[in-house]
Amino acid sequence: MTYTVGHYLGERLAQIGLKDHFAVAGDYNLVLLDQLLEIDGLRQVYCCNELNCGFSAEGYARANGAAAAVVTFSVGALSALNAIGGAYAENLPVILISGAPNSNDHGSGHVLHHTIGTPDYGYQLEIARRLTCAAVSITSAGDAPVLIDHAIRTALREKKPAYIEIACNISSQPCPRPGPVGAILTDAPSDPETLKLAIDELADFIAARKKPVMLVGSRLRAAGCEDAAIRLADALGCVVTTMAAAKSFFPEDHPAYAGTYWGDVSSPGAQQIFDWADGVLCLTPVFNDYSTVGWTAWPRGDNVALMDTRHIAAGGKAFDGVHLRDVIEGLIGRLKGQPKKDATLVEYRRIKSLDAPVVAADPKAPLVRAEMARQIQGLLTSDTSVIAETGDSWFNVMQMKLPRGARVELEMQWGHIGWSVPATFGYAVGAPERRIIAMIGDGSFQLTAQEVAQMVRLKLPVIIFLVNNRGYTIEVEIHDGPYNNIKNWDYAGLMSVFNAEDGHGKGFRATTGAEMEKAIAAAVANREGPTLIECVIDRDDCTSDLISWGRRVATANARPPAAR
Ligand SMILES: Cc1ncc(C[n+]2csc(CCOP(=O)(O)OP(=O)(O)O)c2C)c(N)n1
Ligand SMILES: [Mg+2]
């Protein structure tokens, strides 16, 4: 058998730990798909459309560290690029692979199908360059190994998406086999001198403060520093809070954990302790308008030290070219044997109110949000992953208490509604051993609903809580109008459509607590496919946090233009 460019690409994907890749077929990628099918241990998983294909890969990367999506030129790739923008925003190395025009057509003046109708096909590569950390076009087999390696290596190093387009007549061309995977996993080590200076500065920052707190941000997983952050917290002894987008990136049963810091929609006590602190150690934060609650809760100034993936800033100085894990290890070494900086933890324990137990609602009463959230909380185990969609699902999940090991997946930087359906599919493909629960608003679900059919196809026992509040409630709270009302669907009924003649998905509609409980029991028992539970609640029944946060964000949006 001739070893080909497509084999090379597939083998590299398998080498970096991918057991699956996501695909939608099209004539520019069919031969490539044939080549990829021949790679041992690399399954081809199909999606209903390319937007979903991109988001499925994004979800898989969350479970598995990296992912790949294969699409056809323009009509496919331009849809997938939206999800690639999301992967960039969310720091996930998703490799987007697009079939492309025959190498003989490039520069020939030919107009081809699936293009914008001009003989220049370079626009897709140009767009991809803006949305990825590396974008390459392969029009000769000789260049393929170096270009493929460059794209994958850069994506893995930067934890950002990369783009590879392959001319449709090149993927079956002969190509040497790839060497050891180490060649694409290499990374420059921290500069030792800069590392020492950065650690000195951080150690001074901490020494000069009596009441520090630690804030964990959403790039911690991409930085590979979740365990290191726990050890740093142990060495410091102070309160640790997570940012909303970093929910589950620090164990919630850790004695120093004080919940989510999110301005005035923080967990009880978290904001008070934050405001009382005299220093904030920020690990890999993302400060945007949402995370700062419309810029009302933005830690900055002299009392803030930033510890980012490859960048440290403290005491008015900044350091680059160091790895966060090296910085954390060095800092832990300096803190060894020193008295704990536990003032914020002592104070937090004094002001923290005991969690009032949530009382079950009357099982026959109309279902309300609080009862729905209570029942979902009851499902969480240490092997659960909750995928929460943009909308009130964010705020519902934020209030949940996670057992150690439970994960929450959010897409707070990109915030594409509908992301969660394909991302849940991709996550379930990547982590079949976990209990996977999705919380999705009705409005969001309508964007990408068809990907539930792929969960049916692969018999994935995902549990979907579809919150039917008859509209875009999160937008109602930010700025209401007729555009926030949506057409109702028979969401539970969709499952029989997706099952067709061979599926085992189940759909239930819950209008009371008792109906929801029964549906959950059936969902847990269904190991042959997804279960969708449509939770019917009132249009205005949302968390109070959504209302407070929505008002702040609306105020930030409504700032008048500055005078020039
Ligand atoms: C692709 C995309 N289009 C539009 C929006 C704007 N948007 C943000 S939230 C939202 C409504 C979400 O409604 P739903 O899923 O029903 O959640 P709820 O707030 O009702 O819980 C919309 C339209 C978006 N974020 N992404
Ligand atoms: Mg809704």
Side-chain angles (χ1 to χ4, degrees):
M1 189 179 85
T2 314
Y3 197 85
T4 67
V5 169
H7 293 148
Y8 186 99
L9 173 62
E11 198 162 330
R12 277 301 199 206
L13 296 179
Q15 279 183 334
I16 64 166
L18 306 197
K19 296 188 174 61
D20 309 272
H21 60 291
F22 297 87
V24 179
D27 61 354
Y28 287 115
N29 72 15
L30 297 175
V31 176
L32 174 62
L33 293 177
D34 288 339
Q35 310 293 306
L36 295 175
L37 280 170
E38 287 170 1
I39 301 300
D40 277 347
L42 188 68
R43 176 170 61 155
Q44 208 159 77
V45 175
Y46 306 109
C47 296
C48 296
N49 65 47
E50 287 84 354
L51 174 68
N52 291 353
C53 186
F55 281 136
S56 298
E58 196 263 25
Y60 187 88
R62 289 169 182 266
N64 201 52
V70 189
V71 298
T72 194
F73 198 67
S74 282
V75 290
L78 293 190
S79 294
L81 280 166
N82 186 325
I84 292 302
Y88 198 102
E90 303 289 327
N91 307 293
L92 294 160
V94 175
I95 317 291
L96 177 65
I97 299 152
S98 174
N102 183 296
S103 61
N104 299 303
D105 287 324
H106 292 254
S108 68
H110 294 165
V111 171
L112 297 176
H113 74 286
H114 290 348
T115 71
I116 56 172
T118 63
D120 176 0
Y121 329 125
Y123 59 92
Q124 184 169 305
L125 180 65
E126 265 179 63
I127 297 168
R129 276 205 182 106
R130 297 296 303 272
L131 299 172
T132 61
C133 64
V136 299
S137 173
I138 297 173
T139 51
S140 87
D143 293 339
V146 73
L147 292 176
I148 289 170
D149 282 8
H150 168 69
I152 299 178
R153 180 192 297 116
T154 312
L156 295 180
R157 187 184 65 226
E158 303 296 322
K159 300 290 189 285
K160 297 285 186 192
Y163 170 78
I164 300 173
E165 67 178 36
I166 307 184
C168 58
N169 58 332
I170 296 299
S171 34
S172 57
Q173 290 297 303
C175 177
R177 287 174 186 272
V181 68
I184 55 170
L185 299 180
T186 52
D187 192 3
S190 296
D191 172 58
E193 267 179 74
T194 313
L195 182 63
K196 185 183 170 301
L197 291 173
I199 295 167
D200 286 348
E201 202 57 49
L202 287 168
D204 288 352
F205 176 90
I206 293 164
R209 275 156 188 89
K210 293 193 174 69
K211 307 179 288 181
V213 291
M214 216 168 108
L215 179 68
V216 169
S218 58
R219 287 201 291 251
L220 193 69
R221 174 165 63 184
C225 286
E226 286 173 281
D227 287 340
I230 300 172
R231 281 182 287 111
L232 179 60
D234 292 338
L236 272 165
C238 68
V239 148
V240 180
T241 56
T242 44
M243 294 179 72
K247 173 107 178 151
S248 84
F249 286 12
F250 190 87
E252 300 202 346
D253 63 349
H254 190 282
Y257 186 65
T260 306
Y261 173 70
W262 201 4
D264 56 13
V265 293
S266 296
S267 305
Q271 188 181 21
Q272 289 92 312
I273 210 69
F274 218 86
D275 292 346
W276 183 73
D278 65 358
V280 186
L281 216 53
C282 298
L283 265 69
T284 62
V286 175
F287 295 124
N288 63 19
D289 49 345
Y290 278 13
S291 71
T292 63
V293 197
W295 308 114
T296 62
W298 184 6
R300 54 187 175 151
D302 293 346
N303 282 336
V304 173
L306 175 66
M307 298 173 68
D308 220 331
T309 311
R310 283 197 184 79
H311 177 79
I312 304 297
K317 295 184 193 150
F319 308 91
D320 278 311
V322 290
H323 285 285
L324 181 60
R325 57 174 181 271
D326 298 335
V327 175
I328 294 179
E329 292 314 329
L331 196 53
I332 291 171
R334 297 289 176 88
L335 293 168
K336 221 167 251 161
Q338 293 194 14
K340 295 272 185 263
K341 290 271 178 180
D342 60 358
T344 48
L345 189 53
V346 172
E347 183 68 6
Y348 173 67
R349 287 185 178 141
R350 287 180 52 208
I351 63 170
K352 185 185 166 196
S353 50
L354 287 177
D355 291 331
V358 188
V359 193
D362 172 359
K364 293 203 180 69
L367 188 62
V368 294
R369 182 208 64 79
E371 173 61 12
M372 173 186 75
R374 185 191 70 82
Q375 292 201 23
I376 298 173
Q377 169 77 58
L379 266 175
L380 306 189
T381 55
S382 59
D383 63 354
T384 298
S385 294
V386 184
I387 288 101
E389 180 67 80
T390 299
D392 202 26
S393 299
W394 277 354
F395 298 88
N396 277 304
V397 159
M398 218 43 65
Q399 292 174 4
M400 286 179 186
K401 304 267 179 294
L402 304 180
R404 183 152 309 208
R407 306 284 330 195
V408 168
E409 299 295 340
L410 302 152
E411 197 219 28
M412 281 195 166
Q413 176 60 37
W414 193 240
H416 185 303
I417 58 168
W419 153 83
S420 68
V421 184
T424 298
F425 169 57
Y427 196 102
V429 170
E433 71 289 355
R434 292 185 70 83
R435 166 176 284 181
I436 294 160
I437 293 174
M439 268 192 90
I440 308 175
D442 48 355
S444 300
F445 184 76
Q446 291 194 358
L447 273 83
T448 51
Q450 65 275 66
E451 225 52 30
V452 174
Q454 306 297 351
M455 302 178 194
V456 172
R457 187 182 197 179
L458 295 198
K459 297 190 163 63
L460 300 171
V462 168
I463 306 178
I464 300 170
F465 292 97
L466 186 298
V467 186
N468 185 350
N469 55 11
R470 297 279 181 132
Y472 297 159
T473 294
I474 188 172
E475 296 215 323
V476 170
E477 302 313 326
I478 293 175
H479 184 120
D480 201 10
Y483 34 75
N484 291 328
N485 301 326
I486 60 173
K487 168 74 181 79
N488 192 37
W489 290 7
D490 175 8
Y491 298 99
L494 271 180
M495 292 307 283
S496 71
V497 175
F498 292 145
N499 280 339
E501 64 284 354
D502 57 355
H504 300 284
K506 288 192 157 69
F508 300 99
R509 193 158 186 271
T511 60
T512 64
E515 285 172 4
M516 183 163 172
E517 215 169 299
K518 216 171 132 201
I520 288 178
V524 171
N526 180 15
R527 305 303 302 164
E528 286 298 300
T531 302
L532 185 149
I533 303 175
E534 177 184 346
C535 303
V536 181
I537 62 171
D538 194 82
R539 187 176 189 264
D540 293 317
D541 184 9
C542 64
T543 59
S544 61
D545 287 347
L546 169 61
I547 298 170
S548 312
W549 176 89
R551 281 193 189 140
R552 298 275 197 199
V553 170
T555 305
N557 279 348
R559 282 165 302 164
R564 285 175 193 272

